[in-house]
Amino acid sequence: METENQDYSKIWAYRKQQFNSITLSPDELNLLHDEIIRQTITIAFNKTTQIFGSPPSPFCFFVMGSAGRKEQGIWSDQDHGIIFEHNHPEVRNYFLSLGKEISEGLMQVGYSLCEGKVMASNPFWCRSYNQWMQQLNDWIDDASWESIRYLLTFMDSRAFLGEERFIRQLKQYSYQLIDEKHLLTRILDNTMHIKKTIGVFGQLLLETHGPYSGCLNIKESAIYPYVNAGRILAINEKLNATTTIDRLKGVPDSVLPKQNREKYANQFAKLQTYRLVYGIHTDYESGHYLAVNKLSKVEKKNVKDIIKDGIQLTEYVKMLAAKGDQNGNE
């Protein structure tokens, strides 16, 4: 973006113009998202400081989900939070106001509100540093399906404004606790279900009813296996990386040989391109489906190979996690 937009409506107009004629690569698309988000939170921050004054504490605004992993499609909803240092009601109220302004601004520029309210406008995701430490402890001790889901959502966090060290330190703290509690296999139980999309004769199993009949659910069948495996590897190796490709490439040879790391990373990169080129993209939901009838014979085979490699990676990570927890319990 060459010039700074001064209000939300101009950012929305810019976004609409860019996405109507999109010819970007997945990396370029996510750089564009980052720039739009950055300009939006800059406006929200300026509005908040004009009304309430300067921030009363060091803080970090962070994004999660596909934005945290830099793996957004054309449409994306909001997932974000705030960490502030000083634990005081007035400080909390200040950052909740900032979170509400950011949520409102992001909605106005095209990022729908999170249905699960994973947003900095929600006190649950806007806490002091010490409260975040306690919350991470509670999630790991509880280890229920919901607690693990919240924990994994936080694991994809990426600092966007303020103190990046808060995110880095809290992640390392979480990794240490997960290690101590031997929680990897429990986390796997939460994440490693894969939608079956290859039949016994090697054919792609497509949606049979509904608005995406004849399409492939690429999110559940192909993207999730790589994302979840990459996240487990990052936890196991205590990596700060958030993108799936960086996580896959960041593990040592002793865990995953270089040849396999490069193969899985390349397959995931191709997957992102297929989603961008052949996704439907009329709204957030439709971007998860691939219009298979537009693929050539070679491309269909390529997609099947990517799915098979994702399953293979998942099975390897399951074995790795089980072995790690077993050794830890000895």
Side-chain angles (χ1 to χ4, degrees), residues 22 24-26 29 73-74 271-279 281:
I22 194 154
L24 302 172
S25 70
L29 173 64
I74 289 178
L271 190 59
Q272 295 290 82
T273 300
Y274 274 118
R275 181 178 67 157
L276 186 58
V277 174
Y278 294 112
H281 304 309

Side-chain angles (χ1 to χ4, degrees), residues 105-120:
L106 288 173
M107 185 182 70
Q108 289 192 31
V109 304
Y111 299 91
S112 57
L113 297 175
C114 174
E115 291 184 359
K117 301 188 187 307
V118 183
M119 296 180 291

Side-chain angles (χ1 to χ4, degrees), residues 33-263:
H33 276 303
D34 270 12
E35 184 57 25
I36 291 170
I37 294 171
R38 185 188 67 77
Q39 291 207 19
T40 304
I41 63 175
T42 297
I43 292 174
F45 182 77
N46 290 339
K47 284 188 173 186
T48 303
T49 56
Q50 285 172 8
I51 298 172
F52 300 105
S54 300
S57 162
F59 74 101
C60 175
F61 172 81
F62 59 94
V63 292
M64 296 173 280
S66 59
R69 299 191 308 273
K70 299 184 183 179
E71 293 162 5
Q72 290 171 288
I74 289 178
W75 295 101
S76 180
D77 66 351
Q78 301 185 35
D79 291 295
H80 47 73
I82 289 178
I83 305 162
F84 47 86
E85 187 167 44
H86 301 147
N87 188 13
H88 189 278
E90 290 183 5
V91 176
R92 182 194 61 194
N93 290 338
Y94 179 95
F95 288 109
L96 276 173
S97 297
L98 175 60
K100 288 174 184 174
E101 185 59 44
I102 290 174
S103 299
E104 173 65 24
L106 288 173
M107 185 182 70
Q108 289 192 31
V109 304
Y111 299 91
S112 57
L113 297 175
C114 174
E115 291 184 359
K117 301 188 187 307
V118 183
M119 296 180 291
S121 53
N122 180 352
F124 193 79
W125 295 96
C126 182
R127 300 169 180 267
S128 73
Y129 185 89
N130 287 338
Q131 286 174 327
W132 271 109
M133 287 188 77
Q134 185 58 53
Q135 184 61 75
L136 293 167
N137 259 310
D138 292 345
W139 284 337
I140 291 168
D141 279 344
D142 181 42
S144 65
W145 186 90
E146 186 176 51
S147 294
I148 295 291
R149 184 168 62 90
Y150 287 148
L151 176 66
L152 297 183
T153 299
F154 182 80
M155 288 302 161
D156 287 348
S157 56
R158 173 166 64 99
F160 221 98
L161 179 68
E163 303 286 339
E164 183 273 340
R165 63 188 168 95
F166 289 168
I167 288 290
R168 180 167 27 88
Q169 291 167 359
L170 286 172
K171 278 191 188 178
Q172 290 301 319
Y173 178 67
S174 302
Y175 292 161
Q176 180 185 337
L177 290 178
I178 291 169
D179 202 26
E180 290 173 0
K181 302 282 185 180
H182 311 299
L183 206 62
L184 271 187
T185 50
R186 179 72 188 89
I187 292 173
L188 276 163
D189 292 340
N190 247 57
T191 61
M192 288 306 193
H193 171 73
I194 300 176
K195 183 180 176 69
K196 184 177 180 182
T197 46
I198 297 182
V200 291
F201 301 111
Q203 79 279 24
L204 288 172
L205 300 176
L206 308 177
E207 299 296 304
T208 56
H209 60 277
Y212 307 111
S213 180
C215 296
L216 178 72
N217 186 331
I218 193 173
K219 182 178 181 181
E220 292 187 5
S221 66
I223 292 175
Y224 275 171
Y226 285 91
V227 167
N228 290 331
R231 189 188 297 115
I232 292 288
L233 289 170
I235 293 171
N236 194 52
E237 297 304 313
K238 301 178 177 56
L239 303 177
N240 286 319
T242 56
T243 76
T244 299
I245 287 177
D246 285 345
R247 285 169 165 174
L248 290 171
K249 288 183 175 179
V251 297
D253 286 346
S254 58
V255 173
L256 193 61
K258 182 179 179 182
Q259 182 179 354
N260 290 347
R261 295 201 305 271
E262 291 181 347
K263 178 182 76 171

